[in-house]
Amino acid sequence: MEYMNTAPVASSASAGGPRWLTDEEQRVWRSYIEAATLLEDHLDRQLQRDAGMPHVYYGLLVKLAEAPQRRLRMTELAMSAKITRSRLSHAVARLEKSGWVRREDCPSDKRGQFAVLTEEGQEVLRKHAPGHVSAVRQAVFDRLTPEQQKSLGEIMRIVAEGLQPREAGADLPWLR
Amino acid sequence: MEYMNTAPVASSASAGGPRWLTDEEQRVWRSYIEAATLLEDHLDRQLQRDAGMPHVYYGLLVKLAEAPQRRLRMTELAMSAKITRSRLSHAVARLEKSGWVRREDCPSDKRGQFAVLTEEGQEVLRKHAPGHVSAVRQAVFDRLTPEQQKSLGEIMRIVAEGLQPREAGADLPWLR
DNA sequence: TGATGGAAGTTGAGAGTTCAAGCAGAATCG
DNA sequence: CGATTCTGCTTGAACTCTCAACTTCCATCA
């Protein structure tokens, strides 16, 4: 009896026993885990080395850069980046220290805070975007056919949807 | 001029300028990032809550469970899990504290160490595998058609291959 | 044998993340 | 209005990960 993989191997009867993954499903799952691990690691390294920040932080700057006044409420930013507010708080504190983001009080809600991309923040993006795109291209797009790219998009969209926030809850309204 | 996403938006001329991602490529990339973030987070939470360890650690136990004597050299384990040796060292130290793994000296190479899955380690896997598989199934496999599953496998295999270790280097022979 | 370089693994400090708790302001309602 | 509850965001401690040394042992070769 093989127990698991990052999920176990086949051999399911009919009754309530857990539906293990088939061999094929397992191969798929392992490929996913490996690629995801290697990829995130690769991008983290690339950005840490070149831009001095991890991939997630870079993503935050990008979201801000695209937002109306290059600003977003903390909660909005957290939701859009799919991270907890707590994590965001720490992250923004760090980005503030680096001078790439600044906090601003929200006039309409005294509890609220805006995270605002600074000029230096924009500069950092301008400077390192090319390297980052190229890393992404090299690791992913250059290796996939147009059909595969399309497939990947559909698949990931479905998975993401299934895990979306839904209803509220303690510190993580999102993340179920 | 849109600068970036977690990679910038289109508008490329002909000369050397960075080849930005097209709108469609960007949508794909964002979906990927979102799904990967939500998924890893979801599994980490599930396992942390139920089994008292993060997803990566669970993966390590699984690798050991499948290995010949339920043991693997540190370096082998690190490579197979796609993580650095340093990270593994810390991880195994923690797993040892929890009593799920034990270290053993390698007879043939005095520098070498085996990570060995303990009886408690196996027990933990047996106990929590069902919940974990079910989480993976719910989040991924149950939502995809067989074709999509196959596609996902191929795509991720390609990406993983492209990022594989190749030649040696400092502390991270893998991870380029 | 002894020097030299490489390989296996660990370590410590700093950075990032999680979790539970906490504070202040907003909203609801009697 | 005052009490109660909810929302927005922050905090601190515990934990994990990264990065750059560092130690020990193996391998090569003169």
Side-chain angles (χ1 to χ4, degrees):
Chain A
M1 193 257 281
E2 297 286 355
Y3 340 65
M4 29 20 213
N5 167 252
T6 275
V9 110
S11 99
S12 169
S14 44
R19 282 170 52 236
W20 302 113
L21 297 189
T22 64
D23 275 16
E24 184 45 26
E25 286 171 327
Q26 247 192 96
R27 274 191 287 280
V28 171
W29 183 237
R30 292 189 189 216
S31 295
Y32 171 80
I33 293 294
E34 295 192 1
T37 305
L38 289 168
L39 188 49
E40 186 54 20
D41 230 72
H42 183 66
L43 298 181
D44 263 341
R45 253 177 246 293
Q46 187 264 313
L47 282 170
Q48 188 70 59
R49 170 168 49 71
D50 299 348
M53 71 187 120
H55 187 207
V56 206
Y57 288 26
Y58 184 88
L60 295 175
L61 298 192
V62 172
K63 299 271 186 201
L64 290 178
E66 293 172 338
Q69 301 292 314
R70 291 195 311 290
R71 81 191 45 219
L72 240 29
R73 287 287 296 268
M74 295 296 282
T75 296
E76 291 182 277
L77 182 49
M79 288 199 304
S80 119
K82 266 71 192 165
I83 63 177
T84 61
R85 288 187 248 178
S86 171
R87 186 175 178 185
L88 181 63
S89 251
H90 290 296
V92 166
R94 193 291 210 173
L95 289 171
E96 222 172 354
K97 254 177 229 167
S98 302
W100 300 328
V101 166
R102 139 176 57 88
R103 283 183 224 246
E104 261 182 44
D105 294 340
C106 174
S108 61
D109 185 338
K110 286 176 187 170
R111 296 166 301 178
Q113 288 276 100
F114 280 104
V116 187
L117 186 62
T118 64
E119 193 47 64
E120 294 100 305
Q122 294 182 64
E123 194 44 40
V124 150
L125 282 180
R126 268 185 227 109
K127 183 162 175 190
H128 299 290
H132 179 55
V133 189
S134 141
V136 171
R137 232 180 220 310
Q138 237 179 285
V140 181
F141 293 95
D142 286 353
R143 301 181 180 277
L144 303 177
T145 67
E147 295 73 43
Q148 289 176 318
Q149 299 182 12
K150 190 177 164 220
S151 244
L152 181 60
E154 286 164 2
I155 292 169
M156 295 319 251
R157 206 163 357 262
I158 291 173
V159 171
E161 229 158 66
L163 293 169
Q164 219 69 251
R166 347 190 154 294
E167 294 312 311
D171 196 13
L172 15 156
W174 34 94
L175 307 175
R176 61 153 323 128
Chain B
M1 194 253 285
E2 296 286 354
Y3 341 64
M4 35 10 221
N5 166 251
T6 272
V9 109
S11 101
S12 168
S14 43
R19 281 170 53 237
W20 303 113
L21 297 189
T22 64
D23 276 16
E24 184 46 25
E25 286 170 329
Q26 250 194 95
R27 273 191 286 280
V28 171
W29 183 238
R30 292 190 188 215
S31 294
Y32 171 81
I33 293 294
E34 294 192 2
T37 304
L38 289 168
L39 187 48
E40 187 53 20
D41 230 72
H42 183 66
L43 297 181
D44 263 342
R45 251 175 248 293
Q46 187 265 315
L47 282 169
Q48 188 70 59
R49 168 167 50 72
D50 299 348
M53 71 187 122
H55 186 207
V56 206
Y57 288 24
Y58 185 87
L60 295 174
L61 297 192
V62 172
K63 299 268 185 203
L64 290 178
E66 295 172 336
Q69 302 292 313
R70 290 195 311 291
R71 80 190 46 217
L72 242 28
R73 287 286 295 268
M74 294 297 282
T75 296
E76 291 182 277
L77 182 49
M79 288 200 303
S80 119
K82 266 69 192 168
I83 63 177
T84 61
R85 288 187 245 176
S86 172
R87 185 175 179 184
L88 180 62
S89 250
H90 290 297
V92 166
R94 194 287 214 173
L95 290 171
E96 223 172 356
K97 252 177 229 165
S98 302
W100 299 328
V101 167
R102 140 176 56 89
R103 281 182 224 246
E104 261 182 45
D105 293 340
C106 173
S108 60
D109 184 337
K110 285 177 188 168
R111 296 166 303 178
Q113 288 277 102
F114 280 104
V116 186
L117 186 63
T118 64
E119 192 47 63
E120 295 99 305
Q122 294 181 66
E123 193 44 38
V124 150
L125 282 181
R126 267 185 228 110
K127 183 163 176 191
H128 299 290
H132 180 55
V133 188
S134 142
V136 171
R137 228 177 223 312
Q138 240 180 282
V140 180
F141 293 95
D142 287 353
R143 300 180 180 277
L144 303 177
T145 67
E147 295 74 43
Q148 290 177 318
Q149 299 182 12
K150 191 177 163 220
S151 245
L152 181 61
E154 286 163 3
I155 292 169
M156 294 320 248
R157 207 163 358 263
I158 291 173
V159 172
E161 232 158 63
L163 294 168
Q164 219 68 250
R166 344 190 154 297
E167 295 312 312
D171 195 14
L172 14 157
W174 38 91
L175 308 175
R176 56 151 333 127

